């Protein structure tokens, strides 16, 4: 009887553990990061860190200590790298640009953005890049570095590690106050590079493999920009881009005051701002473009890693400027960075019920049959690949046009950054900094477009995670609390306890680095406030630009009025209804500090934590196996003898897990398309896996078996001739009682002919 009772108890405990895990994952899957899938349509129509002073601007941070098992980052011994000599007697700036691969895993990892269960990477459409721009005053005393990265968002852990490695190489040259890291917000990049529990669970664990790959790429891009610095000039221009965006939450936008809405011709920001950089001979070096649009032309059925519409614009611009180079190569660097994109979608046909073709219910983003799962936003193209090309192509064309209409960007450089501590504040008297911090500390999430909770989920939450406090409920009204993440600290805090706000001025341009997704009207209010603050203290005619997804991710920021509607963006505004007001207050203080040359007076903020022992990836590493009698890379399906322009050449190989290539980087591409040159009797590479025309699919089988399919969508520009495709991979091998090793292999298809007709 005793044994029987114990066995039942054990079974019950195991069952309870499994259920708790499943329910936690289910709760998280309801809410997470962005909804590029379910969007509505009804369109009407430069950072600051606080630390010791620097002449070009200044820096300051506020010190504070955190618990939650955090470990402060301590940099390794500093080995300073000598700076390249700078030419001083000229009017302009020292400018350096650099680009490096930061793709990470392209298999066995969740794609970061939609938080859709099962949307794991299974190949690659385009590489992901880190694009760095360094601008320094003529005497070299003051500098700023802006880095746009083809990832969903910058995590705090990513930023801390990048700064740590920069410090070890350059000393105090690149610091918290003068380096901005900004994510383009592609939803087709790998996750796994976060340290806060909500994001770790959503990414199905922490992937050190991808984290290291990203950090290395970001640092390398900055190193390249540093090495390439030369005297030059910076120009600024702006102009409108039409026909590429809609507001996906128009009903929320309508909650803003009519008098405010009447000042604008559209419920989205159509203005693009461009910084163009040239050397003293007028040779183009690069550009940074800011424009508000969600990179979600590739929808949540996609499994190929890629940089989406903004990355495609970069691809086109760099290919235009770097003639004769493969994608990802060449000296010219073009970054299309994110802005206040919170409620802005590229799916301009709006949401439709995929099962009936009818428009979705606008307010609830749902369909009469099938509910919200059937409501999918549509782009302008016949499929998501075509939509990406159309939207990215228009953005590229407008940026190209604006580069010919420019004005010089002159003036001093200024930097400042403020770290917000997890301290208590007061309530009931407006959004002070302390109150912002309090709401920050009590971060909450709820995915539903409702102001009423769900009894079933609320009961499960109460049983598994505990009830949210009355303080949280009161603070976040009218939002019903699904997860009281600000009170959850195991195994680590579920959301950040410290958030950096940062601003950089480059001449007449103020770059406002925001740690999340501002909606259209939120961005407008912030820009206006910052520009007004500069004007108050003598800096007239400043242009303020929102740079999104910077330094740490904190979900969405709506206006107070939009918050009352509690649609997706408002439900994901995790610090409560007064979040925007608090940000405006903080950024005004930073603008004042820069304008009055008082950055040195700002106190140093607290250091963010760097957690150890994160939840490892839930997808195990297994040994790769080739079929009996076969080797890795063997051709299973050969190419046809002849293809016409416009057709798809395809070869299937015996494959191995592509994630191995993020760990052993013997090969820099998974594929090449090569053309035979008869005059030299050599094969010339015409495409790699960063090319839009190629696709690499990985098909996972059982017990370590897999296939790899390489496609070349032959463009109209392809020259007639003899071609072949090559496959480059790595397989994991482990002999008995020995550690696993990752070994490279490569393979070549048979030759085939491409003809024009």
């Amino acid at each position: 009887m005793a044994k029987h009772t114990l066995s039942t108890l054990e079974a019950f405990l195991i069952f309870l553990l499994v259920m708790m895990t499943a329910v936690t994952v289910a709760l998280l899957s309801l809410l997470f990061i962005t909804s590029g899938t379910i969007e509505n349509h009804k369109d009407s129509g430069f950072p600051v860190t606080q630390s010791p002073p620097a002449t070009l601007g200044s820096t300051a941070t506020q010190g504070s200590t955190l618990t939650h098992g955090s470990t402060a980052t301590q940099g390794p011994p500093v080995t300073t790298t000598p700076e390249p000599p700078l030419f001083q007697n000229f009017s302009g700036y020292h400018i350096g640009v650099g680009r490096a691969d930061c793709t990470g895993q392209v298999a066995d990892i969740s794609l970061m953005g939609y938080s859709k269960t099962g949307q794991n990477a299974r190949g690659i459409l385009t590489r992901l890049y880190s694009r760095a721009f360094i601008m320094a005053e003529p005497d070299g005393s003051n500098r700023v570095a802006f880095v746009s990265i083809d990832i969903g968002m910058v995590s705090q852990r990513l930023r801390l590690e990048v700064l740590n490695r920069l410090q070890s190489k350059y000393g105090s040259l690149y610091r918290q106050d003068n380096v901005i890291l900004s994510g383009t917000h592609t939803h087709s990049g790998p996750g796994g590079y976060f340290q806060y529990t909500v994001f770790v669970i959503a990414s199905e664990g922490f992937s050190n493999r991808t984290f290291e790959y990203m950090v290395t790429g970001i640092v390398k891009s900055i190193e390249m920009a540093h090495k390439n610095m030369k005297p030059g000039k910076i120009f600024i221009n702006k102009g409108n881009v039409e026909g590429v965006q809609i507001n996906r939450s128009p009903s929320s936008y309508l909650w803003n005051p009519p008098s405010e809405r009447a000042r604008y011709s559209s419920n989205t920001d159509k203005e693009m701002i461009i910084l163009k950089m040239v050397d003293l001979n007028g040779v183009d070096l690069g550009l940074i473009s800011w424009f508000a649009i969600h990179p979600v032309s590739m929808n949540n059925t996609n499994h190929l890693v890629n940089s989406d519409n903004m990355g495609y614009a970069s691809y086109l611009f760099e290919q235009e400027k770097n003639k004769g180079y493969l994608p990802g190569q060449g000296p010219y660097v073009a970054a299309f960075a994110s802005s206040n994109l919170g409620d802005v979608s590229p799916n301009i046909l709006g949401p439709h019920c995929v099962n009936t073709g009818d428009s979705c219910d606008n307010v609830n983003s749902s369909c009469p049959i099938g509910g919200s799962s059937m409501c999918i936003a549509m782009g302008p193209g016949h499929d998501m690949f075509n939509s990406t090309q159309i939207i990215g192509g228009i953005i590229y064309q407008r940026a190209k046009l604006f580069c010919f209409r420019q004005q010089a960007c002159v003036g001093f450089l200024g930097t400042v950054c403020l770290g917000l501590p997890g301290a208590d504040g007061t309530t009931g008297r407006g959004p002070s900094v302390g109150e912002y911090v309090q709401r920050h500390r009590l971060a909450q999430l709820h995915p539903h477009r409702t102001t009423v909770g769900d009894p079933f989920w609320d009961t499960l939450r109460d049983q598994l995670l505990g009830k949210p406090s009355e303080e949280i409920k009161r603070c976040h009204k009218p939002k019903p609390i699904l997860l009281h993440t600000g009170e959850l600290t195991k195994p680590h805090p579920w959301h950040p306890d410290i958030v950096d706000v940062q601003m950089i001025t480059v001449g007449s341009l103020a770059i406002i680095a925001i740690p999340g997704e501002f909606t259209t009207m939120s961005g407008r209010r912030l820009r206006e406030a910052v520009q007004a603050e500069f004007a108050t203290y003598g800096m007239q005619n400043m242009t303020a630009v929102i740079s999104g997804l910077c330094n740490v991710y904190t979900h969405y920021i709506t206006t107070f009025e939009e918050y009352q509607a509690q649609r997706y963006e408002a439900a994901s505004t995790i610090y409560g209804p007064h979040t925007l007001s608090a940000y405006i207050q903080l950024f005004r203080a930073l603008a004042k500090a820069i304008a009055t040359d008082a950055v040195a007076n700002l106190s140093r903020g607290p250091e963010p934590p760097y957690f150890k022992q994160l939840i490892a990836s839930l997808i195990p590493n297994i040994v790769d196996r080739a079929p009996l009698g076969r080797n890795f890379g063997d051709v299973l399906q050969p190419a046809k003898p002849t293809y016409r322009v416009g057709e798809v050449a395809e070869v299937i190989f015996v494959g191995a897990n592509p994630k191995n290539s993020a760990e052993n980087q013997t090969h820099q591409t998974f594929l090449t398309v090569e053309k035979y040159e008869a005059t030299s009797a050599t094969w010339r590479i015409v495409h790699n896996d960063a090319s839009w025309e190629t696709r690499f699919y990985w098909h996972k089988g059982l017990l370590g078996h897999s296939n790899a399919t390489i496609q070349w969508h032959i463009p109209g520009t392809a020259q007639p001739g003899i071609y072949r495709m090559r496959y480059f991979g790595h397989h994991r091998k482990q002999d008995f009682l020995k550690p696993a090793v990752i070994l490279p292999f490569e393979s070549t298809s048979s030759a085939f002919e491409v003809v024009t007709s």
Side-chain angles (χ1 to χ4, degrees):
M1 179 64 74
K3 285 187 177 181
H4 177 73
T5 303
L6 180 60
S7 175
T8 302
L9 177 60
E10 288 176 338
F12 173 74
L13 291 174
I14 293 172
F15 172 76
L16 181 61
L17 178 61
V18 171
M19 288 300 296
M20 289 176 65
T21 303
V23 169
T24 301
V25 173
L27 286 168
L28 287 167
S29 69
L30 288 174
L31 48 88
F32 197 52
I33 290 179
T34 202
S35 90
T37 309
I38 302 174
E39 298 162 335
N40 285 343
H41 174 214
K42 187 179 179 183
D43 198 340
S44 60
F46 271 174
V48 181
T49 305
Q50 299 182 339
S51 14
T55 19
L56 123 3
S58 18
T59 317
T61 358
Q62 296 180 341
S64 149
T65 4
L66 295 177
T67 51
H68 305 317
S70 62
T71 304
T73 319
Q74 295 186 352
V78 174
T79 306
T80 304
T81 299
E83 280 193 75
L86 297 180
F87 179 67
Q88 296 187 9
N89 297 319
F90 71 98
S91 174
Y93 299 95
H94 287 285
I95 303 166
V97 301
R99 177 187 54 250
D101 176 25
C102 65
T103 305
Q105 287 179 230
V106 301
D108 272 358
I109 196 166
S110 295
L111 296 181
M112 191 65 188
Y114 291 109
S115 193
K116 178 184 176 182
T117 302
Q119 195 192 8
N120 293 336
R122 300 176 192 169
I124 184 171
L125 173 61
T126 62
R127 290 253 153 199
L128 308 181
Y129 291 101
S130 173
R131 295 175 171 89
F133 304 82
I134 297 176
M135 295 157 277
E137 289 181 348
D139 61 1
S141 59
N142 302 307
R143 66 183 59 209
V144 297
F146 180 86
V147 188
S148 178
I149 314 160
D150 289 333
I151 56 177
M153 61 284 293
V154 174
S155 76
Q156 192 174 77
R157 187 182 191 87
L158 199 66
R159 183 180 190 231
L160 291 172
E161 187 62 28
V162 167
L163 291 174
N164 189 40
R165 296 189 189 186
L166 290 174
Q167 181 190 23
S168 69
K169 184 165 187 176
Y170 298 106
S172 60
L173 196 60
Y174 300 106
R175 312 171 305 274
Q176 178 192 15
D177 66 301
N178 68 355
V179 175
I180 292 179
L181 304 183
S182 173
T184 62
H185 204 40
T186 174
H187 286 43
S188 296
Y193 55 96
F194 300 85
Q195 66 176 5
Y196 291 98
T197 302
V198 161
F199 309 120
V200 173
I201 294 176
S203 299
E204 299 180 4
F206 175 76
S207 170
N208 192 63
R209 182 189 292 109
T210 289
F211 178 76
E212 283 294 323
Y213 200 115
M214 288 181 174
V215 170
T216 300
I218 295 168
V219 172
K220 183 178 179 181
S221 69
I222 297 172
E223 291 172 346
M224 294 172 68
H226 177 88
K227 183 179 179 180
N228 292 336
M229 290 183 73
K230 61 177 66 174
K233 294 183 181 295
I234 300 175
F235 300 90
I236 185 174
N237 193 29
K238 60 184 73 172
N240 287 349
V241 182
E242 301 286 347
V244 296
Q245 37 162 225
I246 61 170
N247 191 305
R248 70 184 189 187
S249 290
S251 59
S252 292
Y253 181 88
L254 291 174
W255 281 67
N256 293 305
S259 58
E260 183 179 33
R261 289 187 278 112
R263 296 166 50 202
Y264 303 98
S265 61
S266 173
N267 58 7
T268 62
D269 277 342
K270 299 182 181 297
E271 187 175 72
M272 174 187 288
I273 293 180
I274 288 179
L275 277 187
K276 175 184 174 181
M277 304 164 199
V278 302
D279 68 16
L280 293 183
N281 296 318
V283 176
D284 289 338
L285 301 176
L287 72 81
I288 309 172
S289 163
W290 288 273
F291 182 64
I293 191 169
H294 249 85
V296 291
S297 292
M298 300 294 291
N299 62 43
N300 68 4
T301 66
N302 169 59
H303 291 278
L304 297 181
V305 167
N306 69 87
S307 52
D308 212 285
N309 47 44
M310 296 294 263
Y312 187 66
S314 289
Y315 170 84
L316 292 176
F317 217 116
E318 290 176 350
Q319 286 294 95
E320 169 72 21
K321 292 292 187 179
N322 296 320
K323 298 287 189 183
Y325 287 92
L326 290 170
Q329 301 176 13
Y332 188 87
V333 180
F336 285 76
S338 58
S339 191
N340 54 317
L341 48 66
D343 53 359
V344 185
S345 169
N347 296 312
I348 58 177
L349 300 184
H352 289 78
C353 301
V354 293
N355 52 351
T356 65
D358 297 328
S359 295
C360 302
D361 172 66
N362 214 17
V363 176
N364 298 309
S365 295
S366 64
C367 297
I369 302 173
S372 60
S373 63
M374 292 291 105
C375 181
I376 305 295
M378 306 292 184
H382 57 78
D383 62 22
M384 59 183 170
F385 297 94
N386 186 230
S387 292
T388 301
Q389 290 180 285
I390 292 172
I391 297 297
I394 294 173
I395 293 171
Y396 152 69
Q397 290 289 352
R398 297 303 291 173
K400 186 178 177 181
L401 174 64
F402 299 154
C403 276
F404 290 102
R405 303 199 312 256
Q406 61 206 21
Q407 63 183 39
C409 184
V410 296
F412 70 93
L413 297 175
T415 70
V416 63
C417 175
L418 170 67
L420 300 176
D424 286 332
T426 58
T427 58
R429 56 173 183 79
S432 70
V433 173
E435 290 164 350
Y436 166 78
V437 168
Q438 183 179 44
R439 287 177 174 80
H440 162 83
R441 181 169 55 86
L442 303 178
Q444 317 306 320
L445 284 173
H446 199 289
H448 300 304
R449 299 161 181 84
T450 180
T451 56
V452 180
D454 185 295
F456 174 75
W457 290 109
D458 288 351
T459 300
L460 282 179
R461 174 206 61 209
D462 294 347
Q463 295 300 316
L464 298 177
L465 302 172
K467 294 182 178 181
S469 67
E470 291 302 317
E471 179 188 18
I472 285 180
K473 294 178 181 178
R474 183 172 61 254
C475 179
H476 289 270
K477 283 185 176 180
K479 181 194 298 181
I481 305 301
L482 175 65
L483 291 177
H484 46 305
T485 55
E487 295 181 325
L488 302 177
T489 60
K490 302 296 183 182
H492 297 296
W494 284 44
H495 271 129
D497 284 305
I498 296 172
V499 174
D500 285 346
V501 292
Q502 190 175 10
M503 186 184 299
I504 284 176
T505 57
V506 181
S508 60
L509 181 67
I511 306 173
I512 307 170
I514 58 172
E517 305 178 51
F518 273 53
T519 61
T520 298
M521 195 63 85
S522 292
R524 289 168 175 170
R525 291 184 188 178
L526 178 59
R527 288 196 305 264
E528 278 193 353
V530 167
Q531 288 171 168
E533 195 73 12
F534 276 120
T536 298
Y537 294 95
M539 294 180 67
Q540 307 291 333
N541 302 317
M542 289 291 290
T543 296
V545 64
I546 302 283
S547 186
L549 290 306
C550 293
N551 301 333
V552 58
Y553 185 62
T554 62
H555 299 267
Y556 285 78
I557 300 91
T558 65
T559 66
F560 176 84
E561 294 85 357
E562 291 166 346
Y563 188 89
Q564 309 309 307
Q566 279 302 299
R567 275 182 56 82
Y568 178 82
E569 295 81 13
S572 300
T573 298
I574 62 175
Y575 303 143
H578 299 289
T579 303
L580 174 60
S581 297
Y583 274 121
I584 288 174
Q585 177 179 319
L586 291 165
F587 279 110
R588 287 181 63 180
L590 298 181
K592 178 181 177 181
I594 291 177
T596 60
D597 196 21
V599 175
N601 298 330
L602 297 174
S603 60
R604 183 177 177 85
E607 294 296 331
Y610 194 94
F611 301 128
K612 295 182 178 179
Q613 299 177 339
L614 298 174
I615 301 171
S617 173
L618 303 180
I619 303 176
N621 297 318
I622 62 174
V623 172
D624 293 291
R625 292 181 173 87
L628 189 64
R630 296 278 194 173
N631 296 312
F632 294 106
D634 281 358
V635 174
L636 297 175
Q637 176 185 300
K640 295 190 299 186
T642 304
Y643 293 95
R644 289 183 171 83
V645 167
E647 293 184 333
V648 179
E650 180 178 285
V651 181
I652 301 178
F653 300 86
V654 174
N657 197 320
K659 74 178 179 183
N660 300 327
S661 297
E663 193 168 336
N664 181 338
Q665 299 177 37
T666 306
H667 305 305
Q668 301 304 309
T669 181
F670 288 104
L671 65 91
T672 57
V673 177
E674 302 175 3
K675 184 178 185 294
Y676 185 71
E677 303 292 348
T679 54
S680 59
T682 58
W683 291 91
R684 177 174 59 90
I685 299 174
V686 294
H687 297 291
N688 56 17
D689 65 6
S691 302
W692 181 262
E693 294 82 3
T694 62
R695 299 176 192 175
F696 175 82
Y697 294 92
W698 180 62
H699 311 281
K700 186 175 186 178
L702 299 174
L703 302 176
H705 294 276
S706 65
N707 295 340
T709 299
I710 294 177
Q711 291 183 348
W712 177 30
H713 293 245
I714 305 173
T717 56
Q719 298 176 351
I722 304 301
Y723 291 83
R724 69 182 186 183
M725 291 190 286
R726 302 189 69 197
Y727 169 34
F728 303 90
H730 296 85
H731 69 93
R732 179 178 293 273
K733 178 183 178 182
Q734 186 167 20
D735 294 328
F736 185 65
L737 296 180
K738 291 185 178 180
V741 293
I742 296 176
L743 304 174
F745 66 88
E746 56 188 78
S747 181
T748 306
S749 76
S750 57
F752 55 89
E753 185 178 10
V754 171
V755 297
T756 55
S757 60

